[in-house]
Amino acid sequence: NMPTIEELATDPLDATAIGLTAVERRTKPEEPAIDVSVNLRDVHLEHEAERWRGSFDLELYLYGQQKTSLRTINLDLNEEELRSALETPYAISTRLPPVATGQLRIVVRDRATGNAGSLRMQVN
């Protein structure tokens, strides 16, 4: 039985099946953003007609504020794009609400397998 992305977001333990890192970045003080890097080696990709396809959900969950940002990332890569994506983590940038502070939980879950990775970070 696969945990839902909400269960993963509130689980006190980090999920480790998908490797990910995250850094906070502010272009302006009132525009916080998080750059999340996902290890695509841990994401299930189907090979069909010279393309590699897969998808995963990305959720940012701010503790105590019930604010979440959920996106589905669909991958559709050719051989060259895949090779390059496997050499360096796949980066996704996500804006945060301007008032976002506190504990942020970041969850990535593979839509094909349910495998997940999560981490928490402090947002100031």
Side-chain angles (χ1 to χ4, degrees):
N1 206 3
M2 283 192 244
T4 65
I5 199 149
E6 291 75 23
E7 288 166 343
L8 290 162
T10 53
D11 190 324
L13 298 175
D14 286 339
T16 57
I18 296 180
L20 72 151
T21 59
V23 291
E24 184 178 0
R25 176 178 51 80
R26 285 178 189 257
T27 42
K28 301 188 186 119
E30 70 281 5
E31 285 182 17
I34 297 286
D35 290 337
V36 179
S37 296
V38 178
N39 184 347
L40 288 193
R41 286 192 162 87
D42 298 333
V43 175
H44 179 78
L45 298 173
E46 292 281 340
H47 189 214
E48 53 184 72
E50 307 301 310
R51 310 289 294 178
W52 292 89
R53 296 192 176 95
S55 64
F56 58 87
D57 292 326
L58 169 68
E59 179 171 57
L60 304 184
Y61 175 87
L62 209 52
Y63 281 102
Q65 298 193 24
Q66 302 301 317
K67 282 198 176 77
T68 63
S69 151
L70 179 64
R71 288 168 65 185
T72 298
I73 310 296
N74 292 305
L75 302 166
D76 184 355
L77 309 169
N78 64 28
E79 287 291 338
E80 199 174 315
E81 290 166 332
L82 177 69
R83 242 196 321 277
S84 145
L86 292 176
E87 281 167 21
T88 57
Y90 185 82
I92 305 135
S93 186
T94 302
R95 297 267 307 269
L96 287 175
V99 295
T101 57
Q103 282 274 322
L104 179 71
R105 190 64 178 272
I106 299 164
V107 181
V108 169
R109 188 178 72 153
D110 189 320
R111 292 178 71 92
T113 62
N115 287 348
S118 64
L119 58 83
R120 59 182 82 210
M121 63 186 289
Q122 188 68 30
V123 180
N124 300 309

